[in-house]
Amino acid sequence: MTLNIEMAMFPLLLIPASLLPALIYTIALYLHTKNEKQKWMALGFFFSFCLSLGVYLHIDVKEFYFWSKPFTLGLATYIIMLIFTFFYKKNIYLFEKMLIIIFSIILIITLLLNSILSGIIINFYLIALALIFISISLKNNRPFLMHGVFLLLLGIFAFIGMFINYAGILLFSLTLLVALLYEFYLYFENIIELFRNVSMTAIRDPLTNLYNKQYLESKAEELFLSQNITVLFIDIDNFKTINDTKGHAFGDEVLKKISNLLMKEVNSFGFSCRYGGEELVAVLTAGAADRIAEKFRARVEKELNLTVSIGLANSSEIETNSYSDLLNLADQRMYHAKKTGKNKVVVAI
């Protein structure tokens, strides 16, 4: 089969079709969240989509060179996407953003010139920019390695197009399409991470990273109705005195350290939550609860030179179908521990 200009340009013609779903999604996401970053990404997809449509306006060219309009429009589509992606990310330095902006200005100028000189300028800058990004990535662990590789391939294939015309165009077009799809992948990966963080924030206590009270109430109720569980109700002894004498910042550090120990002891057997203030709750679905509670109490005393009072209650002790009764029983036993000397685990009164 003989390679012709239509076949060589075909990947370029797929770019608008690949951009359209992403554009619709980002607009819908912005309208739903009103997030400023989503607005800029929606604009990026919009401008890229409009530029990519320009390829269709020049589809009837008889000869195609690496400085021709479809080439520069396709490249502009990718660069616009890069600009908005770079500004979307938090960890991009100003110097790195300026490299892309300078290239965009050069690209706009060459769109007006449409000459072999402008094409040569573009490709030299493409390769130079690629080598800079690859070098930055390898030396300073920056996230530009794949961007650099794509830019380098685009520059190389554009020069190949000078000597093996249609083959160079096909390789360039395919690389450009794959590079754009890679940008889509990075964007949607960030969106997934954003949603994951939002969902975790909704159920986690921001100070201790334990689950919050709302999660405890819903999850523990569900477990209580389906299996045998044990609740540990924990209170940090003399916490008010710690806050009053050493300050709230120190008190926060105490909470974080004790919570970290609790997660280490409990997470293999259940989950732990911050119930409120200095009160913590652990829900166990496996393991010897009394031994786990005692080991945790001993570690707090030994490693942090602090003490905790713990009340322990098992669902088999509850005659009703109410999880709150189980929690109240553990709470009563915790208060009994505090009234009878603190720094102990109470499993019965």
Side-chain angles (χ1 to χ4, degrees):
M1 180 168 49
T2 305
L3 184 64
N4 56 38
I5 192 168
E6 288 79 12
M7 293 172 60
M9 285 185 64
F10 183 70
L12 277 182
L13 302 178
L14 292 177
I15 290 175
S18 63
L19 279 166
L20 185 58
L23 172 61
I24 294 171
Y25 177 81
T26 50
I27 291 174
L29 188 61
Y30 169 68
L31 293 175
H32 180 70
T33 63
K34 301 299 181 184
N35 183 279
E36 191 70 14
K37 286 187 176 181
Q38 300 310 319
K39 180 181 76 173
W40 286 106
M41 284 308 297
L43 285 172
F45 279 115
F46 174 75
F47 288 130
S48 296
F49 177 71
C50 292
L51 275 172
S52 67
L53 289 176
V55 174
Y56 286 93
L57 300 177
H58 301 275
I59 198 171
D60 58 344
V61 292
K62 303 303 179 185
E63 292 184 305
F64 190 91
Y65 302 100
F66 70 97
W67 61 85
S68 301
K69 279 292 193 296
F71 162 70
T72 49
L73 285 168
L75 190 57
T77 299
Y78 178 53
I79 297 301
I80 289 292
M81 199 69 257
L82 273 186
I83 290 173
F84 283 91
T85 300
F86 272 41
F87 279 86
Y88 177 80
K89 293 179 180 179
K90 293 180 180 179
N91 59 340
I92 307 300
Y93 301 144
L94 180 61
F95 164 72
E96 296 158 349
K97 293 177 180 179
M98 289 305 298
L99 287 174
I100 291 294
I101 291 172
I102 292 169
F103 183 75
S104 304
I105 294 170
I106 293 173
L107 194 59
I108 291 169
I109 294 171
T110 56
L111 281 172
L112 301 174
L113 295 176
N114 194 31
S115 67
I116 187 170
L117 178 61
S118 62
I120 292 172
I121 292 171
I122 283 179
N123 284 279
F124 271 120
Y125 193 79
L126 260 179
I127 293 173
L129 188 63
L131 293 176
I132 290 171
F133 278 176
I134 291 171
S135 176
I136 289 173
S137 299
L138 295 177
K139 289 183 179 179
N140 303 318
N141 194 30
R142 303 294 293 147
F144 305 127
L145 185 59
M146 288 306 298
H147 297 98
V149 169
F150 283 128
L151 289 168
L152 183 61
L153 288 174
L154 287 170
I156 291 171
F157 293 149
F159 274 120
I160 289 174
M162 294 177 65
F163 308 103
I164 313 173
N165 201 14
Y166 295 153
I169 293 165
L170 179 61
L171 290 171
F172 170 82
S173 301
L174 283 171
T175 303
L176 192 58
L177 181 61
V178 173
L180 278 166
L181 292 175
Y182 177 71
E183 292 304 315
F184 299 164
Y185 163 75
L186 292 180
Y187 170 69
F188 287 113
E189 188 179 47
N190 285 332
I191 293 298
I192 291 169
E193 185 65 25
L194 175 65
F195 284 148
R196 185 183 293 119
N197 290 339
V198 168
S199 64
M200 290 302 292
T201 301
I203 61 174
R204 292 279 185 180
D205 173 64
L207 177 64
T208 62
N209 203 36
L210 298 175
Y211 289 109
N212 58 28
K213 186 176 180 179
Q214 289 73 23
Y215 178 83
L216 167 69
E217 291 173 346
S218 61
K219 185 64 177 179
E221 183 75 36
E222 175 188 329
L223 292 171
F224 176 78
L225 295 174
S226 62
Q227 66 183 99
N228 184 276
I229 63 172
T230 302
V231 170
L232 278 58
F233 207 117
I234 304 156
D235 187 88
I236 303 171
D237 296 331
N238 308 311
F239 190 73
K240 184 177 185 304
T241 303
I242 292 172
N243 270 336
D244 291 343
T245 57
K246 297 188 177 182
H248 289 280
F250 184 85
D252 287 346
E253 287 302 312
V254 166
L255 264 171
K256 285 193 274 189
K257 289 177 181 178
I258 291 179
S259 298
N260 188 47
L261 284 180
L262 182 62
M263 284 190 283
K264 289 179 179 177
E265 292 300 326
V266 165
N267 281 7
S268 297
F269 307 100
F271 63 94
S272 47
C273 313
R274 185 182 181 189
Y275 191 73
E278 72 273 22
E279 294 178 332
L280 312 174
V281 171
V283 177
L284 307 181
T285 58
D290 54 344
R291 292 181 184 177
I292 293 169
E294 178 56 32
K295 185 180 177 184
F296 166 66
R297 183 208 63 77
R299 284 192 68 180
V300 171
E301 184 176 23
K302 180 180 179 181
E303 297 178 25
L304 303 179
N305 197 28
L306 298 165
T307 63
V308 292
S309 298
I310 305 174
L312 187 151
N314 186 269
S315 55
S316 62
E317 302 176 81
I318 306 301
E319 297 180 357
T320 66
N321 288 327
S322 173
Y323 158 73
S324 60
D325 290 341
L326 175 62
L327 188 65
N328 288 336
L329 180 59
D331 189 19
Q332 291 169 20
R333 290 173 178 174
M334 181 272 291
Y335 274 108
H336 183 76
K338 294 186 80 67
K339 289 178 181 178
T340 56
K342 303 178 181 178
N343 191 28
K344 63 176 69 175
V345 177
V346 173
V347 299
I349 300 177

